[in-house]
Amino acid sequence: MELGPTAPSCVLKEARPFTVSGSQHYLCELDRFFCAAAPIRTPDGQLVAVLNVSGIDMQPSLWLQDRINFTAISVENRLYEDLPDCSLLHVHADPRLIGTPLEGIITIDPHGYLLHANRSARSLLGLGLEEHSRLAISLEALLGSQGRRDLSNLQRFPGEVQEISLSSGRRIYARLQGSENSAGIVYRAPEPPQPAPKTGPSPFNEASLDNAFDISRRAFVGDVSILVQGETGTGKEVFAKSLHESLAADRPFVAINCSAIPSNLIEAELFGYVEGAFTGGRKGGAMGKIEAANGGTLFLDEIGDMPMELQTRFLRVLQERKLTRLGDNRDVQLDIRLISASHRDLEELVRNDQFREDLFYRINGFRVVLPPVRARLNIQGLIQSLLSHLSPDEPKTISPETLGKLLAYSWPGNVRELQQALKVGCILSGPESEISMSHFSPDMQAKLAAVPGSGPIFQSPLRRQERETIRDSLARNNGNISATASQLGISRTTLYKKMRE
């Protein structure tokens, strides 16, 4: 017989707490019953049990689900103690909450690497909220320059709650619960094995972009705010991620599209809120995106679409390096690096009083302009790079006629459009190693067929020298079209024309 929904079955399906009572049951015979349940997971995220409380001829108390949730958290925290060959670091901003279900728990291996952390610890330390993923972050990265002394004190007095400093400068409380070899935890651990090089679309198929990235990286290392501009689809987020990974790949990278968040929610999304700050908010409040990026990189995409009333508050956060959640009066200290991006002319927005001038100068520490695909001098190299990523196991080439059309097409959607076209070509070409016009979608075939000529596959020595001169000038001017045109003594229109030829 079908029983319909029960709290345990809903927890098994949705992996989150549930209460089912009265008429919420499928069978009217069960209207007298209620049940409230919560999931129990291992530190690796495996759902191993469901904690359930059921009753009859009574309504569940308002506090019942909270009590069950706390009990489930207590059981999950107890499971950390069964992990072999690791020590437990119990942490919280309030020393009175260490040893309660609200405490944060971190597992540390003998080599000094953080392996697991529960949700409370991840929230407190700004490690991101993918609760059951492995961390592989060193104690040195977490605790910073004072960490060796703090760890020594924790090892000297195991079980005692002590105040420690994080690399961000924030002070919290911690207690070390050691295994048999916890006294031998290495603070300055050897570098972990490097992951395999990431494959994917790269913005570095141009001399000008290589040069721009090298300069940007040096500025970024010096904690200079980076502003990346360019048309939609030119790879601004890819560029930003590459900068972040070149400096601190093990730190959080939080991307926010300012144009995709409703204006009535963007403040809560960015700054977070405490419980009761507004109607419909999450129970217990929520961490904002800015706070989630603490210790790492915050990437604000389409910052030109940020509402004016929010720009003032964000400017203050950048100046003071701290924020306050909505509905709270406590400050959160921040240690973030900022990369902003926009396809809009921010200086024009400033002139039209649509963007704060002081905020513009705060985010514009170093500006990079990514060229559209049609202005690139090495489109063929970009195509080969994308093909290598899209079909790594079955190398693909493009027929000369088709390649000529691809090089001559203007690509208004830039790298994003080119990548999608090549992806379709790789799929529809099947086992064939060469992609031809017939392997593209009908609409792309029509666009390419309308392109006059076949592109500059073969060039005369004079034309090749001209293109090399333009390429070198672009590299020297960091991709700036206006400066390059002025240096070459030609108009911007002429320069664009020569770059498309």
Side-chain angles (χ1 to χ4, degrees):
M1 182 176 67
E2 292 288 343
L3 293 179
T6 63
S9 64
C10 291
V11 170
L12 290 173
K13 177 68 174 177
E14 300 290 336
R16 62 184 179 88
F18 263 94
T19 299
V20 178
S21 64
S23 60
Q24 293 175 336
H25 289 102
Y26 176 69
L27 296 178
C28 60
E29 290 86 351
L30 298 178
D31 285 356
R32 298 170 56 196
F33 294 85
F34 75 86
C35 49
I40 295 176
R41 292 191 180 93
T42 66
D44 286 322
Q46 182 181 358
L47 182 61
V48 293
V50 174
L51 179 64
N52 177 70
V53 173
S54 298
I56 186 172
D57 289 335
M58 62 182 294
Q59 288 295 320
S61 302
L62 296 177
W63 47 262
L64 177 61
Q65 186 68 67
D66 287 339
R67 183 70 61 85
I68 294 173
N69 292 345
F70 278 127
T71 304
I73 292 173
S74 297
V75 174
E76 290 183 340
N77 288 350
R78 176 63 179 80
L79 295 178
Y80 279 80
E81 298 181 10
D82 295 331
L83 294 174
D85 299 324
C86 63
S87 302
L88 302 184
L89 188 65
H90 303 258
V91 296
H92 204 281
D94 187 339
R96 296 170 297 180
L97 295 181
I98 292 181
T100 73
L102 297 177
E103 71 175 348
I105 298 180
I106 303 169
T107 62
I108 308 171
D109 72 8
H111 300 293
Y113 281 96
L114 283 56
L115 300 179
H116 306 280
N118 65 4
R119 189 174 184 84
S120 178
R122 288 175 180 266
S123 175
L124 179 68
L125 304 177
L127 298 175
L129 297 181
E130 295 180 8
E131 185 173 352
H132 301 292
S133 60
R134 292 179 71 88
L135 296 174
I137 300 173
S138 69
L139 271 174
E140 184 180 9
L142 178 68
L143 301 181
S145 59
Q146 301 297 321
R148 188 184 300 278
R149 183 194 63 190
D150 289 339
L151 177 62
S152 176
N153 290 334
L154 289 169
Q155 290 172 323
R156 188 178 298 115
F157 306 103
E160 181 178 313
V161 177
Q162 302 181 48
E163 190 177 19
I164 65 172
S165 293
L166 302 179
S167 58
S168 63
R170 184 180 181 183
R171 308 274 306 171
I172 64 170
Y173 293 88
R175 173 172 64 85
L176 184 65
Q177 177 182 344
S179 61
E180 294 180 357
N181 56 0
S182 63
I185 294 177
V186 178
Y187 179 66
R188 185 175 294 276
E191 288 297 315
Q194 293 298 315
K198 295 185 177 181
T199 59
S202 169
F204 319 129
N205 290 284
E206 293 281 311
S208 59
L209 279 176
D210 289 337
N211 184 57
F213 178 78
D214 181 60
I215 299 175
S216 301
R217 185 179 57 79
R218 282 183 277 160
F220 192 58
V221 169
D223 201 18
V224 175
S225 297
I226 306 296
L227 176 60
V228 185
Q229 296 205 265
E231 297 178 8
T232 299
T234 50
K236 295 186 287 292
E237 184 168 352
V238 173
F239 193 92
K241 281 184 178 179
S242 299
L243 278 179
H244 166 76
E245 291 174 357
S246 72
L247 176 64
D250 60 343
R251 300 296 183 89
F253 176 87
V254 179
I256 305 172
N257 190 325
C258 297
S259 66
I261 304 176
S263 58
N264 61 325
L265 294 179
I266 191 170
E267 191 169 15
E269 285 285 328
L270 287 179
F271 298 99
Y273 57 89
V274 296
E275 183 175 349
F278 56 86
T279 303
R282 186 184 305 169
K283 186 175 181 62
M287 176 190 294
K289 298 286 189 180
I290 298 176
E291 190 177 345
N294 210 0
T297 301
L298 178 67
F299 174 59
L300 293 180
D301 198 8
E302 301 303 347
I303 193 173
D305 295 324
M306 180 181 286
M308 283 290 290
E309 61 272 16
L310 191 60
Q311 293 178 23
T312 301
R313 186 172 179 190
F314 184 62
L315 175 64
R316 185 171 183 178
V317 168
L318 293 181
Q319 290 174 335
E320 299 181 358
R321 295 288 172 166
K322 62 183 180 181
L323 62 78
T324 305
R325 293 186 182 185
L326 296 181
D328 203 356
N329 57 8
R330 295 168 296 180
D331 291 331
V332 177
Q333 298 297 322
L334 296 175
D335 174 24
I336 59 174
R337 296 177 187 270
L338 178 67
I339 305 177
S340 307
S342 180
H343 74 283
R344 306 179 69 181
D345 187 338
L346 296 184
E347 290 179 289
E348 181 67 22
L349 295 180
V350 170
R351 288 192 291 269
N352 294 333
D353 295 326
Q354 295 177 298
F355 197 86
R356 289 186 61 107
E357 184 176 19
D358 45 6
L359 178 58
F360 171 73
Y361 289 119
R362 174 68 64 171
I363 66 175
N364 186 26
F366 184 83
R367 176 158 49 174
V368 181
V369 180
L370 303 185
V373 170
R374 64 182 177 276
R376 290 197 179 206
L377 296 178
N378 189 20
I379 301 177
Q380 189 168 348
L382 174 61
I383 291 174
Q384 292 301 324
S385 175
L386 291 172
L387 285 177
S388 299
H389 166 63
L390 293 169
S391 184
D393 299 326
E394 299 179 5
K396 298 283 186 178
T397 60
I398 298 178
S399 67
E401 178 185 0
T402 304
L403 179 59
K405 292 290 186 179
L406 294 177
L407 296 176
Y409 181 56
S410 60
W411 299 107
N414 292 299
V415 178
R416 187 177 295 120
E417 182 186 13
L418 174 58
Q419 183 178 19
Q420 288 300 317
L422 294 176
K423 182 177 181 179
V424 172
C426 288
I427 294 173
L428 298 186
S429 61
E432 298 179 36
S433 62
E434 185 175 82
I435 299 174
S436 62
M437 286 280 286
S438 62
H439 295 136
F440 292 110
S441 63
D443 60 326
M444 180 54 64
Q445 290 184 42
K447 292 176 182 178
L448 295 177
V451 174
S454 58
I457 302 179
F458 305 107
Q459 302 172 354
S460 67
L462 183 61
R463 177 65 184 128
R464 188 179 302 112
Q465 179 62 44
E466 182 181 69
R467 290 180 65 82
E468 289 176 358
T469 300
I470 294 175
R471 181 185 294 112
D472 293 342
S473 183
L474 276 169
R476 286 194 299 272
N477 290 289
N478 196 25
N480 189 303
I481 297 295
S482 298
T484 300
S486 175
Q487 186 179 73
L488 296 175
I490 58 178
S491 67
R492 284 166 51 97
T493 302
T494 301
L495 178 57
Y496 273 121
K497 180 179 178 181
K498 289 183 176 294
M499 293 170 71
R500 287 194 296 266
E501 290 177 355

